[in-house]
Amino acid sequence: FFLQDTNTEFYTDSSQDDLWGKLICTNFKVSFIPQDAPSLCFQLFNHILCLSLTVNDTKGKRKVLGSNQKLKFNPTELILYCKDLRIIRFCFGEAGPESAKKVCLAIAHYSHPADLHLLFGFEYQGRRYHEYKAKRVNGSTPRGGLQTPIFDRPSDWDREIKRTGASEWRVCSVNEGYAISPSLPEYIVVPASLADQDLKQYSSFFPDNRIPLWCWNHPSGSALIRMASITDPLHQRKIDQRVFTAITKSHPHRSEVIRLDLDKCLPNIQDIQSAFFKIRQICVMDPFEESEERWLSSIENSRWLEYVRAFLKHSAEVVYHLDGKNTSVVLAEEEDRDLNCIVSSLVQLMLDPHYRSLIGFQSLVQKEWVMAGHRFLDRCNHLKKSDKEESPLFTLFLDCVWQMMNQYPAAFEFTEAYLTVLTDSMWIPLFSTFLFNSPKQRNQHLDFAKNKAIPQGEEQSVYFPPVWDWSQQFSFKDQTLFNNPMYVGKGAACVQNGEVKTFRRTKKTYSSTLRGAPASMRNGLKSGEETLPRRGSLVSELKPDFSPVKDVVESPSERFFRDWFSRPIDQQGLLIPLLTPSHMALWKLFFLRWVPEACIPKGGSITAYHKLCQLVDEIEILQIQLRQYKGPSPGSTPLPSPSESRSDQRRMYFKASFPDDPSTPPDFLTSSFPFTPVGNLCRRNVHGTPISKFLNGAKIWLSTETLANDTV
C-alpha cells in the first residue's frame, strides 16, 4: 500500500504567537506537527475537507488553487478554507520555494479528487479485508457489533413496522436489485392492500420511478408517507386517488389523507445554500465582532435562522395533522430527495421519543436520508463538479435538531458535540454513509472497492464501514462526550429506599392528545390561576393576538397547540419547539468553535455539562454501592459489578470529584470544548482506533518528486 507524502517546514499564524512546525500532506489528510510540542499535532482529513486554497507571494499575487492547476510563482503563504469552517494560514518562512510549491500543489491535488475511486476509503478496504478475514465465523462477516439498523435488509424494516404498530403495511421487495428505481432502497414499506404489480405499474408515472415511501406510523393509525410529485396533472389525480385509497385502507378508522407540497411553502436548495454562504462569511471569514449590533443584524439578514425556523414550523404543522387530527400525511416534493428528508425526519423526531435516543437518531438518518436517496455526493459537492447542486441540507437539519435540543435538553440522549462531530464526518472519505447519491450507487462503488482490495477467488464480504461505527474514529472515552447527562430515557432508573426502580411509560402517554395533568395543577399553576400560552409558541405564531377571552373563536389547530403548551412537558412524548425569532439561537459550537475571539475560557455551556457529568457519575457509583449493600431484588435494574465500574468504562466523560479536588473547571475547558481554535481535541486521543493503527502500519512512501511531476 502506498501513501504519497509531501512535507515542509513552515509556521502557522494565529491570534497568539506564531507556531513553527512541519506540514505533512498525504492522500488521506493534512497534518501540522509543531516543532516544540509534537503532541499537539492536529489534522485535516484531506480529500473532501478543503473548500478552497489560496496562495500568496511577497508581491501580493493571490491565486485560488484547484486540482491539476499550475503554480507559476513561489508561494510565501497558504490559506486553507475548510468545510468544517476552519481557516488556517500557513507562512513559508524558512522553507525553500520548491518545497513550499510542492506542498501547495499536493494539498490542491488531494482535496479535489476527480473521481470517487480516488478517495482514500477505497484504498483503506485492503487493510480492512485482512482485519475482517480473521474475524469471520462460519463464512459470515459480523457487523462489528453495530446496533444501528442500516435498512438494507427486510428484517430491519420488519422491526420498524412492529415497533410502530403499522400492522396494515408490509415490506415489499419489488425494487430488489434496483429493478424499478436506482434511488430507492431495495426493500420498502407499502400499504398491504397494494400489490407488487400495481406498484410496478404506478412507478412509471413518478420521477426516477420513485414510488411513495412509508416513513412512520402513529399509534392511533395515521401514517407519514413521502413521495415525488407527478408533473402531469391528469396522471397525478389518477395515481393520487389510487395511492391515497390504499393509504386510507391502512388506517384503522379509514381516515382521510392530506397531501402537503413542500416545494410551494419552503425555501429551495439555492436559497439555503445562499443563506449558509452568508452566515459562514459572517461567523468565520469576517472579523468577529459579536458585541456590535451590526454583527447580530448580519446574522439575521443571512436568513439562515429564518429557514431553520420555517422547517421547524412546517414540521410542527404536519405533527398537528398526524397527532391532532389523526390524519395520514403525504409529503410531496419534486424529486422526494431533499426537503422531504428534512421535514419527515423532524416530524418523527417531534413525535417519537425513540428517535431522540442515540441509536434511534442514527436509524432515522439512515432511513430518511441515506436509504431514501438524498444526494450527498452532489449536495456536499464532494468532487467539486457543480456548485449549483451544492446545498447544506443535512447541516440545516442538524441545526433544527440542535434548536430542539437547546429548548428541551433532557429529551435527547446525545449532545451537541455529537451533532457537530456528525456534521464533520460528512467530509471524511472513509465511510460510506455520506459519500453517495443513492443506495444503488453506494453498492456499485462498494463492489469496486471489494474487487480492488480482495484477491480473486476469495470471499468478497468486506464493506465500507458506516459512520455509525464510532469506534473507527474515537476511543471509548471520547465517545462518552456523546452522552447527555440530563437525558430522561424511557427506562430511566432511580433509587428508592435503596432499591433501583425503572420508570416505564405506557403506550397511551405516547401522544400529547392522550396525556393530561391533574385538574389542580396545569403548567405549574394551581387551579383558579390564569393560564396563558407560552410566549412564542405556535399558538402565537398562528394567531398573534391570542388570548383566553371566551368570545374569541379558535381554530382546531390553535386549540391543539394551546392545549399542548398548557400541559407539563412529557420528555418522552410529543415535543413542539418554540418558534418566535427570539427563540431561534445561533448554533455557536458549530459556527464559532474555531474563532478565538468567541472562545470563552472556563465558560459557556460546557461548565454546566462538566458539573452534571460529575453528578451523574457520582449517582451511578452510589447506585452500585447501594446494590452491593442491599443485594439484588426481584424486578430491579441490574447494575454493573465493581469490576465493570472502572473509570475507563463509565458513561460520563467527566468523572465524579472528591472532596479534596478543586471546585473550579479544568483549564482546558472552553466554550468551544471539545474543539479548540488550534485543533480538534476529539482527534488527539485516537491511539488504538482502527484508523490510527492502519496509518501507523503504512511504511511505504513515494517520492515527492513523483507527485510534483504528476500534478504540474
Side-chain angles (χ1 to χ4, degrees):
F1 182 77
F2 297 91
L3 287 175
Q4 288 79 34
D5 169 80
T6 298
N7 63 76
T8 185
E9 299 291 335
F10 78 105
Y11 67 92
T12 176
D13 188 18
S14 64
S15 59
Q16 302 173 358
D17 298 329
D18 294 337
L19 199 60
W20 290 84
K22 179 179 288 189
L23 178 65
I24 300 176
C25 173
T26 73
N27 64 344
F28 175 55
K29 63 179 180 178
V30 175
S31 296
F32 169 61
I33 304 177
Q35 180 176 316
D36 297 328
S39 62
L40 295 179
C41 167
F42 68 87
Q43 56 197 19
L44 311 172
F45 293 106
N46 192 325
H47 297 278
I48 47 183
L49 184 63
C50 294
L51 191 63
S52 63
L53 301 88
T54 302
V55 291
N56 304 324
D57 72 351
T58 54
K59 298 180 181 179
K61 290 183 181 179
R62 171 168 291 195
K63 181 178 178 64
V64 178
L65 200 58
S67 181
N68 297 322
Q69 289 186 346
K70 293 184 178 180
L71 188 57
K72 297 182 179 180
F73 60 86
N74 295 323
T76 58
E77 182 182 64
L78 168 66
I79 304 176
L80 297 182
Y81 297 90
C82 305
K83 287 190 175 181
D84 68 349
L85 305 187
R86 266 184 282 190
I87 298 179
I88 304 177
R89 177 172 170 252
F90 303 114
C91 299
F92 303 102
E94 300 297 325
E98 289 301 317
S99 181
K101 182 182 293 187
K102 287 176 185 176
V103 77
C104 292
L105 292 173
I107 296 173
H109 176 80
Y110 288 126
S111 61
H112 299 141
D115 190 271
L116 270 175
H117 293 161
L118 299 177
L119 292 177
F120 181 82
F122 289 92
E123 302 289 349
Y124 185 48
Q125 293 306 306
R127 176 60 176 259
R128 285 183 57 80
Y129 160 71
H130 292 290
E131 290 178 354
Y132 274 86
K133 185 177 180 181
K135 296 180 182 179
R136 280 182 224 151
V137 180
N138 297 327
S140 63
T141 302
R143 296 179 98 176
L146 188 69
Q147 297 178 343
T148 302
I150 304 299
F151 293 100
D152 59 350
R153 55 188 66 180
S155 58
D156 290 343
W157 293 103
D158 273 326
R159 278 191 292 270
E160 191 69 4
I161 288 176
K162 292 176 182 177
R163 190 189 68 81
T164 59
S167 57
E168 297 298 320
W169 297 77
R170 67 181 178 90
V171 180
C172 173
S173 60
V174 69
N175 197 42
E176 196 167 29
Y178 307 101
I180 292 182
S181 174
S183 61
L184 288 178
E186 291 189 274
Y187 307 99
I188 58 176
V189 177
V190 298
S193 60
L194 274 182
D196 287 3
Q197 192 61 36
D198 294 332
L199 294 170
K200 291 178 182 179
Q201 180 184 349
Y202 301 159
S203 66
S204 60
F205 296 101
F206 291 95
D208 201 27
N209 295 335
R210 287 181 63 92
I211 53 182
L213 284 175
W214 173 87
C215 300
W216 182 80
N217 244 59
H218 193 280
S220 64
S222 56
L224 178 66
I225 303 97
R226 52 188 288 180
M227 74 176 191
S229 299
I230 301 175
T231 54
D232 188 307
L234 182 61
H235 288 153
Q236 178 183 327
R237 286 193 295 270
K238 179 182 177 181
I239 300 301
D240 280 2
Q241 182 180 5
R242 295 181 180 180
V243 172
F244 288 9
T245 299
I247 296 173
T248 299
K249 289 181 179 178
S250 70
H251 197 293
H253 304 300
R254 300 298 188 262
S255 178
E256 63 177 1
V257 179
I258 184 171
R259 172 191 170 117
L260 301 175
D261 291 295
L262 301 190
D263 293 316
K264 298 178 181 179
C265 54
L266 288 171
N268 58 40
I269 62 171
Q270 289 80 19
D271 293 335
I272 295 170
Q273 170 66 3
S274 175
F276 184 74
F277 177 83
K278 291 176 183 177
I279 197 169
R280 184 180 64 203
Q281 181 78 26
I282 297 164
C283 293
V284 180
M285 298 184 182
D286 293 340
F288 180 80
E289 299 172 342
E290 186 184 12
S291 60
E292 292 194 7
E293 184 179 351
R294 182 183 62 184
W295 191 88
L296 299 173
S297 300
S298 298
I299 293 291
E300 181 180 359
N301 294 335
S302 73
R303 305 192 72 181
W304 176 260
L305 292 178
E306 176 187 333
Y307 293 159
V308 168
R309 176 171 167 260
F311 277 94
L312 285 169
K313 181 180 179 183
H314 195 80
S315 301
E317 291 168 353
V318 176
V319 165
Y320 161 67
H321 290 291
L322 289 166
D323 190 82
K325 295 180 64 178
N326 194 17
T327 300
S328 294
V329 177
V330 174
L331 303 176
E333 186 195 1
E334 182 180 1
E335 294 184 341
D336 181 35
R337 302 176 72 175
D338 291 315
L339 307 184
N340 271 358
C341 297
I342 302 177
V343 175
S344 64
S345 301
L346 289 176
V347 169
Q348 294 172 70
L349 199 71
M350 294 177 187
L351 282 165
D352 194 339
H354 168 69
Y355 293 126
R356 301 195 286 267
S357 67
L358 182 62
I359 296 298
F361 182 77
Q362 293 178 169
S363 71
L364 178 67
V365 173
Q366 186 70 28
K367 176 168 64 81
E368 297 298 328
W369 291 80
V370 181
M371 299 309 291
H374 178 65
R375 289 192 177 98
F376 281 105
L377 182 63
D378 294 340
R379 296 296 177 250
C380 297
N381 205 5
H382 287 329
L383 301 181
K384 297 293 289 184
K385 287 188 175 181
S386 176
D387 292 341
K388 293 181 180 180
E389 295 292 324
E390 183 175 359
S391 186
L393 297 175
F394 189 64
T395 302
L396 184 137
F397 163 66
L398 294 182
D399 199 330
C400 292
V401 176
W402 179 83
Q403 300 291 338
M404 293 187 63
M405 288 176 57
N406 192 43
Q407 296 179 20
Y408 304 105
F412 294 83
E413 186 180 16
F414 45 88
T415 62
E416 65 172 328
Y418 166 81
L419 292 180
T420 310
V421 167
L422 183 58
T423 308
D424 292 344
S425 296
M426 280 195 296
W427 317 117
I428 302 177
L430 289 175
F431 309 107
S432 62
T433 309
F434 303 125
L435 271 186
F436 305 104
N437 280 336
S438 67
K440 181 178 181 180
Q441 186 188 47
R442 181 175 296 103
N443 282 355
Q444 289 174 337
H445 284 278
L446 296 191
D447 289 339
F448 173 85
K450 293 173 184 177
N451 293 331
K452 183 175 181 179
I454 303 174
Q456 289 186 355
E458 296 200 25
E459 183 185 0
Q460 297 186 353
S461 56
V462 68
Y463 65 102
F464 252 113
V467 74
W468 316 124
D469 187 2
W470 293 108
S471 63
Q472 292 286 322
Q473 298 189 62
F474 303 108
S475 66
F476 177 85
K477 178 175 174 59
D478 289 335
Q479 291 178 63
T480 58
L481 284 169
F482 299 166
N483 299 332
N484 177 13
M486 291 184 287
Y487 176 59
V488 179
K490 181 177 180 180
C494 75
V495 178
Q496 215 172 58
N497 298 326
E499 298 289 341
V500 179
K501 305 290 185 181
T502 301
F503 295 113
R504 298 198 178 275
R505 180 174 50 87
T506 63
K507 189 173 184 178
K508 287 188 176 181
T509 61
Y510 187 93
S511 168
S512 69
T513 59
L514 298 176
R515 61 184 168 85
S520 60
M521 184 71 71
R522 283 286 190 274
N523 203 24
L525 299 176
K526 296 180 179 179
S527 59
E529 295 180 345
E530 186 179 45
T531 59
L532 294 174
R534 297 189 185 187
R535 182 181 178 185
S537 69
L538 271 178
V539 175
S540 58
E541 284 287 299
L542 297 171
K543 192 169 184 179
D545 58 344
F546 173 81
S547 67
V549 181
K550 293 184 179 180
D551 58 355
V552 176
V553 178
E554 285 184 307
S555 69
S557 61
E558 290 174 330
R559 188 178 307 112
F560 170 80
F561 291 118
R562 187 201 59 173
D563 289 346
W564 189 88
F565 280 105
S566 68
R567 296 170 178 168
I569 296 172
D570 177 10
Q571 302 287 351
Q572 284 294 300
L574 169 64
L575 290 184
I576 299 175
L578 303 167
L579 291 175
T580 58
S582 62
H583 286 107
M584 295 295 103
L586 180 68
W587 185 9
K588 292 186 177 181
L589 186 65
F590 175 73
F591 286 106
L592 299 177
R593 55 184 158 149
W594 308 119
V595 181
E597 296 85 350
C599 187
I600 307 171
K602 297 185 180 181
S605 60
I606 187 61
T607 54
Y609 178 80
H610 170 248
K611 292 296 184 185
L612 285 168
C613 281
Q614 290 183 318
L615 181 60
V616 169
D617 188 59
E618 185 174 359
I619 291 173
E620 291 179 349
I621 292 175
L622 290 173
Q623 286 178 337
I624 296 172
Q625 293 175 346
L626 280 170
R627 173 61 58 82
Q628 292 172 340
Y629 177 74
K630 295 187 67 67
S633 60
S636 62
T637 302
L639 287 172
S641 63
S643 60
E644 295 174 324
S645 62
R646 301 194 318 267
S647 175
D648 60 344
Q649 295 296 320
R650 303 214 296 260
R651 287 192 316 114
M652 295 294 108
Y653 185 82
F654 297 104
K655 305 302 184 284
S657 60
F658 296 96
D660 55 345
D661 288 345
S663 58
T664 58
D667 292 335
F668 61 81
L669 281 189
T670 70
S671 58
S672 298
F673 184 86
F675 309 95
T676 166
V678 178
N680 185 339
L681 287 181
C682 278
R683 301 286 177 194
R684 291 177 58 191
N685 257 343
V686 295
H687 300 296
T689 65
I691 292 177
S692 63
K693 289 179 180 178
F694 171 73
L695 293 176
N696 291 336
K699 302 297 184 182
I700 305 175
W701 304 84
L702 287 185
S703 167
T704 58
E705 298 293 336
T706 305
L707 175 64
N709 293 335
D710 290 343
T711 306
V712 179

